[in-house]
Structure formats: C-alpha cells, structure tokens
Amino acid sequence: MTDAIRRLRLSHVVLPLPSPVSDAKVLTGRQKPLTETVLLFVEVSTEQGFDGMGFSYSKRAGGPAQYTHLAEIADVAIGQDPSDIDRIYQSLLWAGASVGRSGVATQAIAALDVALWDLKARRAGLPLAKLLGAHRDSCRVYNTSGGFLQASVDEIKEKATASLEAGIGGIKIKVGQPDWKTDLDRVAAIREHLGDTPFMVDANQQWDRARARRMCRELEQHDLIWIEEPLDAWDAAGHADLSRAFDTPIATGEMLTSVPEHMALIDAGYRGIVQPDAPRIGGITPFLRFAALAAHAGLALAPHYAMEIHLHLAAAYPTEPWVEHFEWLNPLFDERIEIRDGRMWLPERAGLGFTLSEQMRAYTKESATFGRP
C-alpha cells in the first residue's frame, strides 16, 4: 500500500558553541572564529502515521538561506509517496531550478532528503545502515574538536588524552598557519605525545601548490593517516598530483557541494581519501550516488562532520572507513552514539536512531509547517 507525505515541519536552529574555535582560515585572516552552527531541521509525517527527521547545517553563513529556500519549495513534496525519495528530490530541484543544483539550493533539500531516508528505515524497523546494506556494525572513529588552532599544544595533548580514554581511536589537529614552522613544531609535539595512535592533520585549504609539496614532504616522517585539504578545495588536479606523489594519503572533499564537483577528483586521477559531507553534497541520495563511484574507483572514505548521519553511510561503504567525532550537536538529540575500542558503533534503533531534544526546540529561531496536521 502506498503512503503520502501529510505534513512537513521546518525549523531554523542556531546552536552556540561552548567557546569560539579557529582553524587556519582564521589565522590567515580569511574568516572569523566560529561561534555557532546553524541548522535546518525537517520533520516529516505521512498519512499512514510514519515519521522521519533530517537536518542540514551551515557554518558562518548560509543557514537562513537554506531555511528560506526549502520553505519556498517544500509544498511540492506534500502528497508524494515518501518511498519515492529520488523522485521527490528531482521535483524539488525543478521547483527551485533557477538557483541551480549545488550549494544552498541542494543543501536545503538535503534536510528533507535525510528525513525521508530516516523515515524509510524507521518504517522498515531497521537502522539506516542495515536498510542500505551494512558492511560492518562499527567504524573507526577519530576526534577533531580538540585540535583547533586557538588551543595550545598542552591543551591539545590534554584533550587528545581524554578522547582516547573515552574510546576514540584517532586524533586530528589543525595546521596551515602563516608560520609553517609552527605547524611542524606542533605536529612533532603531538606525535610524540600520541605514540603510535592514528594521527591526522588538516590544513583547511591554506597552502598553495609549492608550499603543499614542501609540507607534505616534511610531514611524511610523522606516519600520518592523512594530510587533509592541503590545497584549495576545488583544485582537483593539485590534490590528484599530491595523492600520487607522497606515501602519506591526501584527503579532501568536505567543502564540495555536488556530485560533479567530487567527480572532478576522480577524473583528475585522484588516489587519496574522499570526504563527502551528506548535508553539503545535497543529502543522502547524492552521497550514495558518489559513494558508489568512489568505491568503483577504489578510494577510501572518511565523511566530514555530522556523525549522526555519516556513521550509517560509512558502515555501508565497502572498504573500512573513518568517521569524524564532533560532540557539538549532542545537545540537539536525546540519544548518544556508543564509542569504545577506537570505534563508533551503530545504534540498534531504527532510522538514524535519534529523536530531537527539548534543547533543540529552545534553540529554534523560527519554524514553518506545510500540509495538514
């Protein structure tokens, strides 16, 4: 028996961070410290009484635009069968065709797309990973939130130790400062502190090609799991060249906002680690489309941020991935993900496995409802 979408509720949520954080884009003067994350939540209900929840997000700018765009086109989804996720996706793309098929246009749709996948898995009584076809019940997990550049080396060491004691398996820190020697000193100090613990660094796009080659060469000695975004995110050829030149894997992709942008890496001969972000690429539907192509190309996967979504998608990837741990979104949900033995474990709860908290309601700045109660 077919079903139909009865009601959609959109929420514009502003989540303050406990304290401002800075990566290399701040120290090089390109951005201001990050103080909050803005999210677009979608709650979907059907005629047969099934529900789903999804979200997308933005940092520094774009959150109100996501909310406004989806509010303009959301009524197109009312009455459609929630099982026909790609059909609904295409109808929303056409409803907002004049603003394109990437960036804010699809990041707005992403929140509804995630909610529909959550609903489909809940209706099946399965965790989303099991609905997709899981290859594993847990994924390797690393922490980033303790390694930002406003923190001293001693602070990073303390936070890294706490993360490892909490069961996290790897540590990532930020690099890419104006003084590259400071970067190397910090990396050496943290590597010494961590011993043989898996260790990653992230330059957040702050090197040109010449500096990136020199830094990658210097960093080879530290046995890193990867060097992330050494170049501008859209420099597919540059990232491909680096991925073939060094033993340390190169990772990139978190900033890309469409499947074609990610495919440019593969077309350029990239051999590194891909880091698609489901809310940024436009939802789970395009994420899965690119993941199939990345797996065919033999690329490793380490999705960016949003572990509440990406744990499921990583668990369904053919080769062993990494999932990024950020505790920032914890206040928005009633449940927590189990982390132990260096791994993040799939919840047994259906769908994504999360319900929205009262704190999420308190952080909501505006909301809109479409359809009928």
Side-chain angles (χ1 to χ4, degrees):
M1 181 182 298
T2 60
D3 200 355
I5 295 174
R6 184 184 80 248
R7 184 174 67 93
L8 295 174
R9 178 182 175 88
L10 279 56
S11 298
H12 173 209
V13 176
V14 178
L15 173 67
L17 300 185
S19 59
V21 297
S22 298
D23 60 23
K25 297 187 295 293
V26 175
L27 273 68
T28 55
R30 291 174 171 172
Q31 291 184 343
K32 296 179 180 179
L34 183 65
T35 60
E36 62 188 24
T37 298
V38 180
L39 300 102
L40 167 61
F41 278 91
V42 172
E43 297 164 85
V44 56
S45 301
T46 75
E47 296 289 356
Q48 293 184 13
F50 294 102
D51 299 295
M53 177 277 297
F55 66 91
S56 58
Y57 73 93
S58 64
K59 298 176 180 178
R60 296 185 175 86
Q66 290 181 13
Y67 175 84
T68 299
H69 182 66
L70 188 57
E72 283 191 291
I73 62 175
D75 61 344
V76 171
I78 300 298
Q80 295 203 55
D81 188 332
S83 294
D84 300 335
I85 297 177
D86 193 53
R87 181 179 182 178
I88 295 170
Y89 200 100
Q90 295 300 320
S91 69
L92 292 168
L93 283 178
W94 281 110
S98 65
V99 292
R101 296 188 175 186
S102 65
V104 167
T106 50
Q107 288 164 6
I109 297 172
L112 176 53
D113 183 75
V114 173
L116 292 174
W117 280 103
D118 180 55
L119 186 153
K120 179 174 278 193
R122 289 191 193 191
R123 186 175 55 200
L126 295 170
L128 177 59
K130 296 293 185 180
L131 179 76
L132 298 174
H135 285 270
R136 58 197 62 83
D137 294 326
S138 64
C139 296
R140 296 177 296 184
V141 58
Y142 71 97
N143 177 266
T144 295
S145 58
F148 280 83
L149 290 174
Q150 83 284 345
S152 68
V153 169
D154 286 342
E155 289 172 332
I156 293 175
K157 288 179 180 179
E158 181 180 347
K159 292 176 181 178
T161 297
S163 291
L164 297 176
E165 290 176 349
I168 288 171
I171 300 296
K172 187 174 81 178
I173 69 168
K174 301 293 186 174
V175 293
Q177 301 181 76
D179 183 354
W180 58 271
K181 294 179 182 178
T182 302
D183 281 335
L184 295 178
D185 289 342
R186 286 166 68 93
V187 171
I190 300 304
R191 169 46 86 196
E192 181 180 12
H193 177 73
L194 293 176
D196 59 0
T197 295
F199 183 30
M200 307 85 161
V201 302
D202 182 359
N204 288 110
Q205 311 178 70
Q206 297 308 293
W207 297 327
D208 60 24
R209 289 186 177 185
R211 174 54 58 197
R213 290 185 71 88
R214 293 187 179 101
M215 292 299 290
C216 287
R217 189 175 299 112
E218 292 284 349
L219 291 168
E220 289 269 63
Q221 64 182 301
H222 295 297
D223 190 26
L224 299 173
I225 300 298
W226 69 67
I227 300 168
E228 185 171 334
E229 278 194 332
L231 300 169
D232 183 278
W234 287 267
D235 186 358
H239 279 107
D241 288 346
L242 291 175
S243 74
R244 295 189 297 263
F246 295 98
D247 293 335
T248 303
I250 303 299
T252 194
E254 69 175 63
M255 297 301 299
L256 304 181
T257 63
S258 69
V259 173
E261 289 176 5
H262 283 274
M263 280 304 299
L265 289 165
I266 296 177
D267 292 342
Y270 183 67
R271 296 293 180 265
I273 299 169
V274 289
Q275 298 181 297
D277 180 318
R280 280 183 176 168
I281 201 175
I284 291 174
T285 297
F287 184 104
L288 294 174
R289 189 172 297 128
F290 173 67
L293 298 169
H296 179 71
L299 299 178
L301 178 77
H304 168 253
Y305 200 62
M307 62 188 185
E308 296 81 4
I309 299 171
H310 291 135
L311 172 59
H312 293 273
L313 304 184
Y317 196 69
T319 58
E320 181 74 29
W322 283 90
V323 175
E324 185 171 26
H325 174 266
F326 269 93
E327 68 282 1
W328 292 355
L329 304 188
N330 282 351
L332 305 176
F333 306 106
D334 289 327
E335 299 81 7
R336 297 291 178 266
I337 299 175
E338 181 182 4
I339 296 174
R340 56 180 168 83
D341 304 324
R343 304 183 70 83
M344 185 180 290
W345 294 79
L346 281 174
E348 296 182 357
R349 301 178 297 273
L352 293 175
F354 294 94
T355 52
L356 297 176
S357 68
E358 289 303 314
Q359 186 63 69
M360 173 268 175
R361 305 295 179 193
Y363 285 142
T364 298
K365 300 301 181 184
E366 58 183 325
S367 61
T369 301
F370 300 85
R372 58 184 181 80

